[in-house]
Amino acid sequence: LVSGSAMGTEGQATVYNYDHDRFNNNTLSSSISADCAAASNEDTKVTSGGGGGPCYRCLYPRASPTEGCKSCSDNGVLGTVPGLIGLLQATEVLKLLSGIGPTLHSKMIMYDSMHTSFMSITKPTKRKLNCAVCGNKPTITSMDDSYAACMTARGPTMTPAGTAISNSSMKIASDASTSFNTNTKQSMNITAAMRNNSMGNSKSLPTISIFPSEAMNDIRSTTCLKFHTQIQKNNQPYLLLDVRVKRQYELCSLPNSVHIPLAELTENLNYLETLSSGTKPLYCVCRRGIASKEATQLIQSVINAGDHPGIHSVCDLEGGLTSWTREVDATFPLY
């Protein structure tokens, strides 16, 4: 599988299920024909294939509650990015068919159009034995299973194939769209109940914000430069909270930062309260200042409710680590 995806101003490409022997002998065309015939009979089944190596879910085991399952229609995409990713995919196909040159089966290429940069990430050589799709005991074996596994993740109000959205759900989407188009500063909240109603379940789920809500305007924020010059250089007490996913945090991080992924923040509020101990303000940071805003909003709501009085205060670092590189330390890696 020559895979490519794009979202916003970024994209990625790689090759899954690569079989070196198969793509370097004369049986390629007959093997592909056999696969096509098999696929036509089981077009709805999720399989890992026989080529070995990790599948997509090996690399991303869990859909992020805040960043997973998003679509271009909901979040936008710069039109040239899919075009470039498509060219990379086409090139990989030619290399696979001709057997010339190394392919992307051992790595994933990440493209950032805003900085015109590529990053190569080495993939694991073997599949994860506990993978939900290709592991020894898979739990996701159909498209319905895959859809159910993403129900708690932020994303579009998609429905299983052939399932109609109820009129009430369509009204919710219409009202939200009208609200956003009328005033771009207003919130566009589409509830997870839309998905739930589409599956015949009347029990509603918590609201999922696709666009920042008005509460985002009420949170405290500061620039990375001000944080560095006014807080760090003056030896003021603080607690730097990095809310990126583990994979990104392991790539690079600021000294003395505490790592709690956004998806795990709620269950670690007691831990944060202990670290803050009523004396250290929290400063939230992520890659580009998006997840950190959500974290700041969540913590601020907890402070307002008085549930964790030991948390001194919370502030968002605008622009995240990308701004840190531009404003404070040009040697800090961009990715």
Side-chain angles (χ1 to χ4, degrees), residues 115 221-225 227 240-244 248 252-254 283-293 296 315-329 332-335:
H115 299 93
S221 64
T222 187
T223 65
C224 291
L225 181 59
F227 168 72
L240 182 59
L241 176 63
D242 193 318
V243 297
R244 293 175 297 160
Q248 293 184 12
C252 57
S253 61
L254 294 177
Y283 289 87
C284 297
V285 68
C286 63
R287 182 186 178 190
R288 292 181 298 179
I290 299 174
S292 62
K293 275 187 170 59
T296 304
C315 184
D316 173 51
L317 291 187
E318 300 170 359
L321 295 174
T322 300
S323 293
W324 181 270
T325 303
R326 295 171 180 170
E327 299 174 6
V328 181
D329 182 6
F332 190 85
L334 279 172
Y335 67 96

Side-chain angles (χ1 to χ4, degrees), residues 153-183:
R154 172 187 176 188
T157 51
M158 55 189 177
T159 59
T163 303
I165 300 178
S166 67
N167 291 334
S168 60
S169 298
M170 290 297 291
K171 185 178 185 302
I172 294 173
S174 176
D175 291 345
S177 178
T178 301
S179 172
F180 181 73
N181 290 331
T182 302
N183 184 351

Side-chain angles (χ1 to χ4, degrees), residues 43-60:
D43 56 355
T44 61
K45 187 175 181 181
V46 177
T47 61
S48 60
C55 70
Y56 187 85
R57 196 166 285 269
C58 287
L59 304 181
Y60 302 96

